[in-house]
Amino acid sequence: MKIPCLISVAMFSANLISGAPSLIGTWKSSKELTLKATRLDSSVEEDLKERFENLFGRMTITYTKAQSIARMEADEGIEEWESITDYRIVAETKDKLSIKWIDENEEVMTATLHFVNQDQYWIELPKAEGKICGKEYFIRQPKAEPDGSGQ
C-alpha cells in the first residue's frame, strides 16, 4: 500500500516541477528587452521606426484562469484600447506555454510564450513582410499592496 502512495506523490511532484511558470497575474511589455531582441529592416524609414519602437513598454496583459485583459494607454497617434479575450492553454513544457484564443475577427489565434524565468517571458513578433525580426518581452508586475486606508 505504501508503494502506490509514494508513486502517486512522486508523479504529482514531477508534474509540479515540469510545468511552466504560472501565467496568472499582470505582465507589462518591456521596451528595453524587446528593442535589444528586435531588428527592423534597414529599408524602414526613421519616423516609422520611432513609432514602432514607441509601441513597446506600454501594454499590460492581465491573465486570469480563463481570460486575458490587454490594455494600452493612449499616446501620440495611438488611441487607448482594451481587449478582453477568453483563452486556453493547449500545450505546456517546463519553459513554454502555448495558448489559443479567438480574435475579434473570429479567427483562431495561437501564441507560444517562452519563459526566461517565472517573472519574464517573450513571444515572437509577427514577421510583417520580412521587415521585423524579433521578440517582445513581458515582465510580471508585482501585486498591488493594500494601502491600509480601508478603501
Side-chain angles (χ1 to χ4, degrees):
M1 185 67 173
K2 287 184 179 180
I3 292 177
C5 238
L6 288 175
I7 292 172
S8 294
V9 169
M11 289 174 63
F12 178 74
S13 298
N15 284 338
L16 290 176
I17 292 169
S18 66
S22 172
L23 191 55
I24 306 301
T26 299
W27 300 78
K28 185 173 183 181
S29 172
S30 169
K31 183 174 185 173
E32 179 184 359
L33 292 173
T34 298
L35 293 181
K36 283 182 184 177
T38 302
R39 182 173 39 80
L40 288 176
D41 187 86
S42 59
S43 67
V44 175
E45 294 177 14
E46 195 59 37
D47 67 323
L48 186 58
K49 179 181 177 185
E50 187 175 315
R51 284 188 297 175
F52 173 79
E53 291 174 350
N54 286 332
L55 290 173
F56 301 107
R58 298 180 29 239
M59 182 169 64
T60 61
I61 305 175
T62 300
Y63 292 95
T64 67
K65 289 185 180 194
Q67 285 189 321
S68 68
I69 301 107
R71 294 181 180 97
M72 188 178 297
E73 293 183 14
D75 193 33
E76 188 177 322
I78 299 172
E79 292 183 23
E80 178 178 17
W81 61 267
E82 177 179 273
S83 173
I84 300 173
T85 307
D86 292 336
Y87 77 93
R88 64 186 175 92
I89 296 172
V90 294
E92 179 176 4
T93 68
K94 70 181 177 77
D95 59 356
K96 292 180 191 170
L97 280 179
S98 288
I99 60 173
K100 191 175 276 193
W101 70 96
I102 298 175
D103 73 3
E104 64 276 357
N105 299 318
E106 301 298 316
E107 289 187 49
V108 175
M109 306 295 290
T110 304
T112 300
L113 289 67
H114 304 261
F115 284 88
V116 176
N117 57 50
Q118 69 181 5
D119 294 322
Q120 186 181 101
Y121 73 82
W122 60 267
I123 58 170
E124 188 171 339
L125 290 170
K127 298 293 184 219
E129 299 174 8
K131 296 190 183 266
I132 301 171
C133 181
K135 307 169 183 177
E136 183 171 8
Y137 281 82
F138 289 85
I139 308 294
R140 185 186 305 273
Q141 299 302 288
K143 292 181 182 175
E145 296 293 324
D147 64 6
S149 67
Q151 295 181 13

